Amino acid sequence: MAKSQIEGILESLVAAAADREEDAATAIFKSLLDIGRKKHTLVLDTCHLYLVKHSKLSRNHRVILLKLMENICKNHIEDVSNETAMKLISLGSAEMTQSSDVVPEWQTAASNLLSTLGLKYAKEVMQELLTKFQTGQLPHFFIVSTLGQLATSNVGEVVPLLKVVMARMLPMLGLAKLDNMQWVFSNAFARFCEAIIDYVADEQRAEASGINFQQFEGEVFSAYDTFFNVWLLSKDARLRLAVVEALGYAVHIISAEALNDQLPKLVPGVVQLYKKQSEHYYITQCLCMIMEASCKKECANFTVLLDNLLNLLHQQACAPVDFSSSMAVKNHNEVLRCFTVACKFHPQRVVSYLLTKLETNQDKIKGGTQEVFKHLMNSCDKELDDKKPLIVSGMKILLNEQSLKIRSTFGQVIITMALHHYLELEGGFSMIEFIVKQCAINPDDKLYAKQPPGDNVSPKTLKSMSANVLQIITTTMPHMHPVLWPNLLEFIGPVQYIEATPILCRCLAAIASKKRENQDDDYDIDFEDLVNLPKPARIVSSLIVLLGKPSVADRGEHILNCLQSMGPILQEELVDLWDVVIPKLLNYLNENAGCDTWDQKHWEDLILKFLSKSLDELSNEDWLLEFGNALGDKEYILRTYEQFPEEKGFLYKCLGVVMRKTTHKQFVHTNLEMMFATIRHSNQSEREGCAISSGFAASSHLDIVAEKLENVTKQDMVKKSKGFFGFGKDKTDADIERIKATVLLCYGYVCFHSPPNLITSRVEVSILRVINPHFSKVKDTIVKQNLIRTIDLIGRSVHPDHLKIPDFIFNGRSDLINHLLSYISAEPGTMPVLTETKSLAIRALTTLVKLEPYLTDADQYDILNVSTDAILPSPPLSPNTKRKDITITPEESNELTNKAIEDLTKLLIQISSRRYGSDNLESIFKHLDPWSRSSDSTERLRAMNCIVRLLEDYETNTREKEEARSLPLQVHIIGRLVPRCLDPELAIRQLAITAIQTTLKISSCIPGEEDQLVNALSLLKERAENDEASSLFSLCTDLSKVLCKKLHTEFLWPTMQVLLEGLVDYQGHSSSGACVVLNNFVKQRGSSLAEQVPDLIDGLHQQLPHVTNPQTRTGTLRCMRTLCHQYLQPVVTHLLNKPLPWDVELVSLWQVLTGDTQLMTNVIKHLLEVLVLTLPYQERSRTSATSGVASYQRTETPIPKAATQALAILFEGEECRDVSKELFSKIFSILLLRVGVSACIEGDKKNPTDPSVIAILAMRKLLEHTESEVMITFLDQQSAWSLLEKEDTYPHGCLHLARALSSQYPELILPIVEDLSSSLSSIYDPQRITVVAFYSELISTLNAETMSLAETIMNNLLGRQVDANYNVRMYCIRGLGNMADIKGTEVSKFSTTVLSAMLAGMDDREDPSELITMEAMNGLSRIFDRIDEGHVRPILINIALRIRPCFEKPTASVRAAAINLFGTLSRFGNGPSEGPFHEQIQTNFVSLLLHLNEGDPTVVMATKSSLQKLGPLIKSEKINNMFQKHLNPEDSILYADFLNDLCKLIVVDFTEKVNFYIMASVQFFKSMWPEVRGNAALFVGYMMGNLPKEKIGIVSKEHVCEALIHMLKDNSPLVRASTAEALSLLCDY
């Protein structure tokens, strides 16, 4: 019987399955799978037969076919017949055992096939495999392996047969001597045991079948004996792991007695493998199974081995885990599972063992033990329930742990203990205490600077983690509240817990607020009964002190919440006040905390006020004294706040509030003694706290405080110790200086806070008498600063407003001023500000200036001179400065400087306000003027800020004081301020305008009336924000108008003299401002400057280089333009001879010429004439030294290039826009030719002086200048400018220029065509190419109304069709083709001429690149769209035949053009030409379909378009609809799906053509393009695959199938893959 075609196809595919290319091999494999879905038996039989016949087939080929059969069987296992299954089982067995050696890939594939067949034919497979078991002979490796796979893949069918299998296999175990055979037996037995365990686990199935463990005990134990006693001793690591795995499963099946007997040997035998194996997971898994089986079977020997096992497992639990290794993680989890198994059956022994391990000194062991405990607490909670007290007690050993890592681990254990109710037991609170201690860690403590190498937990991390633990316990475990409340209060106050205060308060607030809200019974606290808790006064005092610094760990918010929630407990009388005030404090914190503007002093004042109000609420003084005693506890202070100086200073302030409130003098005495006994005089925070406290106390107890300060001065400010019998440590000079600073500051605050009626009589007699000796020879900076603070406080205390005594005179003021000035002078202004001495001194001076009487002139001069020189020039501190005496950062220095400047400004305002008047103001300005003109912008800005603030204050406070406003106009001030109006710094510009405006307001003659002109200057400040030159010019112009109107005549010239000095201002912008104002003055006096014009012209070229500011240059050039009007012609001639590139001055001279329209017209016409008449380039012949070929070298000529550059510069001038528009056609035509010529001149296109670059620049400038936005946008989008630069692309750029011109200026086409026509006969090729390319695109933009112009252009192009230049001929053909784009019906009358020219173009013999041919075809395509069928009919078939060979041309663009042209011919497919043209469609149909999916996208797009056009002529509505729907040229298609769907329609609508199409497609099997060959194969496959079975006979299937099969040997893997897919469709052949 003859073979069917599909059989041959299958044989070919099977033979080709091992293709050398992966993609092709994959396609063939998929093809066979697809056929296998329909004809699985045939495919399986073919593969079987092929393997049987070709015994020497390559292993790779055999593997592929075996995998193929496995896939088909897996997908169709239920349809595989018994006959086929038996053949495949036999084949798989033979393939698997054909080689006695192990060939993994080959034999694995055969084994997998058998395993798959075993899903249905398990018994048959088992029987086949058992036949390979020969008595006394080892089976093949993969026979055993397959048995194991079969057991796990089909448990239900295989387990009942396992007893037989084991019986056969057991005798052979002794014969297995090689490691690999022992491994496979071990693995198979492991799978057998696993299958038995799974089978028995299904109780219903096991009961129905009667199968249980007892049935396999004997066989499994026999295997166990061999595995353990023989094979486990192997040196092969892989074998040992397999044996261990088998043993793990086996122990579940062997009897309890046997297991108990084996345990003493089994466990040590398995354990010793840890030393031999690098991979421990399977060993641990085995141990876990042994432990589980032993426990379940209650093996007595296991209890003996448990301790050793725990030791072993514990060592692994303590070992570091490599979390990057999945096996290491699995082993660790298995170790923990072992502990779970042990704990469930022996909890007491496990807990006892682990607790002993906590007593070690090794961190690794302690950490691992904690990890195990945490795991057991979660997994064995029920079993550990009665062991919880023991665990809590045992865990206490970790409370004093030093390692941060162990502490961190213990914290995690504690949260687990809390979750499982461990901490509610006795000793549980000690765990909470441990967590609190970790919360109290100071991360910056040097104690943690050096941690052990393995301790990778930072103090900060531990602290944060512990806080989270305490928070979680508090908020998520309500059962823990009895443990926490109120015991957490024990930690409020002690120094070791200060750092933990935020989290403690947070937790206490959470619990207390909840209990207070619920009115719980345990909310109230009996502090007398709970002796361990601090008393309420101690709690409140500790929290109030810490509240002074709220930003530390956000403790302010938590402390306030804690105080409010515990208010009723701490002091009932304060509840109402706290419930009102505390929310306000919280709101203040939320709005201001963390802001850069945080005011610490204001916050402290709020808290002190809060404390004061709270004390006022008390009904008696007992609680106040208790509170004060808590604050003033000397031992507590020394113990608690030594490391917290800021808190300690605030404590002193709080104590001062209490002393001010109390009437107990002894309390005041005691606490003053305590303060001076505990204070560290080296710390400023403590010093200020002590001083303020003394001041608060003095407000009620002045005499006591004064007595104490005097005693300190006598007793402590001496070197010799006053200790018992003179013994004790003597004080150093530094100690005495620090004490002195404290005492002096105390005197200042005492003076300020003392009752006014007492201080007036004592300030000079008592206080200054003590202070005065210390002013001279102060070396210590701290003493100096506190002396200054003291002076400031004394000044404020004796001010009349403070004393309520208007006429009080402070006689010591002058001396204090001198001291302050000497302190300021000691820190020169040339040095960065490193301390706050200057700022403090300036503030103190401001305070003293406020006092009566007025300053003397000498004192005022000294203050102004010293303060400005010391503050204004202070430079910033360089980050690179490295000096031992500099201890601050540049940022801190900058902050000190800004503070000093602000204080200086306030001082100047204060001096001015003390005596308003012109003389006083002038004296202050003289000190600021030099700094306002400084070269340093920082100094200018500082000075201008001072001037503006000073003038504004003056103007504000003298509005109603006519005598103060009689200030004459300050010529000096305004003249100096004008340049600053154009300062580079915006802030300085605005300040200068404000200063001028304010000065003019001050000089107003009518107080109380607004001057609209002066007020309008405010608008200039807004305009000053714009840095553009034009805006600043306008600003100065408007400013000059105001000044001209407001300045009196006698001040005009002096002001101009000052402005002239401004021209050489350090800042160029400022000099420009002076220039603008001066130019406006000159414009009004132009006639008087006539005699100076020659001097300006002669100095132009020398002056311009020194004028660096653009606006200053503009002002100068404006003068030049007027004077140069009559001499422009010689200037132009001279400038054209200047070599390029031109310097800035020459460019400026060209630009200045744009100011006059008539002048510009003459200049442009002259430059165009130069471009027309001069030689465009010099051409020289040269011969190549290597090839001997002659060529021409084109070099530039300087004059045309310079004229082009001049035009580009002139087009930048706004003034010549109208001239450019008027002469646009002439300029455009000449520049177009210049662009074309310049592209062909040799040069560096990246050089800005290259002729091409200059020409393109001139053209672009022309378009920009004439507002040709449409043209520019189009040219930018088309990247036309880059095309115009190069010789080989500039014609394409000309096409874009033509298109752009026609889109914006259609009315200018005619004059431009006329201007260019003369260049068609030019002797220069670039000019002819430029004109023809321009014309070729231009013609496509015309319409019927411009046919005369089109005819002119057409005739010009026809005249150049025989041009010697190839490019000229090509663009002529393109232009004639573009006649098709002319709108209207007039094209037909030129059709004969055009068609003749096109056909001649197709026959151009000098067309090596086929570009002219392509242009001719493209032109014909477009022309055919416009003309009637009658014009084409005679040549239609001729054209179709002439373009058909072009479909297969190597050049893609030619193919695309030919296909497009054929699609265009569809217009003539109806009517008389319908029949012949339909035959051409049928002939080319297959070719078009195949080119629909080729490599070139232009061909693909052309094919889509043509098929859509040809669709209506196909004579199939469905095919036409498909073409119209899916072949949109812009959309992509899924070619294979499209071709398949199309073939379905073809076989229905063109059944008679099917064989013709198929045979035509077969011809393309030899195409030069792999894509087309592949497409042809697919087309044939889809055509034949979709053909109905009854129509199969119309196809030459033998020939076609033979051709397809031959294609499987094609060189291209793409073709082979496509062929395989095609063949998969021929199942019915």
Side-chain angles (χ1 to χ4, degrees), residues 512-568:
S513 60
K514 191 171 183 179
K515 290 184 177 294
R516 181 180 177 185
E517 180 182 354
N518 298 335
Q519 297 182 353
D520 292 346
D521 294 337
D522 60 345
Y523 173 61
D524 293 326
I525 301 172
D526 187 348
F527 288 96
E528 298 299 329
D529 185 45
L530 300 174
V531 294
N532 290 332
L533 299 184
K535 296 298 184 284
R538 171 70 72 193
I539 295 172
V540 176
S541 65
S542 298
L543 295 180
I544 289 290
V545 169
L546 296 178
L547 192 56
K549 282 195 68 179
S551 61
V552 178
D554 297 325
R555 68 187 181 194
E557 177 184 356
H558 302 313
I559 290 174
L560 288 170
N561 284 326
C562 182
L563 287 173
Q564 184 177 8
S565 61
M566 295 181 62

Side-chain angles (χ1 to χ4, degrees), residues 1299-1315:
R1299 177 66 61 180
L1301 176 72
S1302 63
S1303 64
Q1304 184 158 6
Y1305 299 118
E1307 70 279 2
L1308 296 179
I1309 294 177
L1310 178 59
I1312 290 175
V1313 169
E1314 293 174 349
D1315 288 336

Side-chain angles (χ1 to χ4, degrees), residues 786-837:
N786 285 284
L787 266 174
I788 296 171
R789 290 188 179 96
T790 301
I791 293 173
D792 183 50
L793 289 166
I794 292 173
R796 289 159 58 191
S797 67
V798 298
H799 192 277
D801 291 344
H802 181 77
L803 296 175
K804 310 300 181 185
I805 304 175
D807 55 351
F808 181 79
I809 302 296
F810 180 46
N811 297 318
R813 181 179 68 170
S814 182
D815 292 337
L816 295 180
I817 288 175
N818 291 331
H819 291 310
L820 291 173
L821 293 178
S822 66
Y823 295 159
I824 296 174
S825 300
E827 298 191 16
T830 55
M831 294 292 292
V833 178
L834 302 178
T835 68
E836 58 178 338
T837 302

Side-chain angles (χ1 to χ4, degrees), residues 378-390:
N378 287 316
S379 62
C380 301
D381 186 52
K382 181 179 179 182
E383 287 78 8
L384 294 178
D385 189 59
D386 60 339
K387 308 297 184 296
K388 289 179 179 179
L390 176 62

